[in-house]
Amino acid sequence: PASKALRESYFGFLEALAAHYRGDSKVLGFAIENVFYDHSLIDAPWLGQYVDSSESMRLAYVASLNAKYGTLEKLSAAHGGEYASWEDISLPDFSADFDAEGRVRPPASVAKLDYADCKRAVLESFRTEAMAALRKGDPACILGPYSDHARAFLEQTFAKNSCFVPQGSMEEQFP
């Protein structure tokens, strides 16, 4: 979702899709699918969930670190490492830590927390730009997410953009 080419293609498609169905009485609106990362913004590649380790995502991560810390010295101090250049920064390890009961522990390292912040920002902009593209194609369309357990994201982002916020999953809504 950080790829400029993907974003341009996807948003262009969504705009054309909404324009095509504008005024069609059989189409009430569109659901924004959260296929990137997972339903709760937690990487879980061991469950077969998508994890973006692309160069585009690495560049977004580096840009977010640069915006947050400003200098390599401040970044190195915060991350407890030594960075020689912004180009040398890679994405943090995606492996998870588990507690004794097998539950995923939240990320503890500053690098993983910074990556989680970057990922949330990339995903939020991806979803909000998708909403804007659909609305550009059909300003009157109804928009909503498929299902998401990140309530703050839904309430702050979707509601702010005048989007419908359903409860539960698609399977629960449409058995």
Side-chain angles (χ1 to χ4, degrees), residues 45-113:
W46 60 91
L47 297 177
Q49 293 171 340
Y50 178 79
V51 176
D52 185 358
S53 57
S54 68
E55 179 63 7
S56 298
M57 190 63 198
R58 188 192 74 77
L59 292 173
Y61 177 59
V62 170
S64 71
L65 294 173
N66 195 339
K68 181 175 181 177
Y69 296 104
T71 68
L72 288 170
E73 292 76 23
K74 289 179 183 176
L75 172 64
S76 294
H79 283 204
E82 194 64 38
Y83 295 107
S85 74
W86 293 104
E87 292 78 28
D88 292 337
I89 298 170
S90 59
L91 294 173
D93 178 22
F94 293 114
S95 62
D97 295 322
F98 298 92
D99 67 14
E101 286 79 37
R103 297 173 296 207
V104 178
R105 290 184 180 160
S109 76
V110 175
K112 283 187 176 184
L113 293 170

Side-chain angles (χ1 to χ4, degrees), residues 41 120 123-125 127-128 131 148 150-159:
L41 306 177
R120 275 190 289 277
L123 185 53
E124 181 175 341
S125 71
R127 289 175 174 173
T128 55
M131 289 185 276
D148 197 313
R151 294 297 311 155
F153 176 84
L154 290 178
E155 292 165 358
Q156 294 170 10
T157 306
F158 279 82

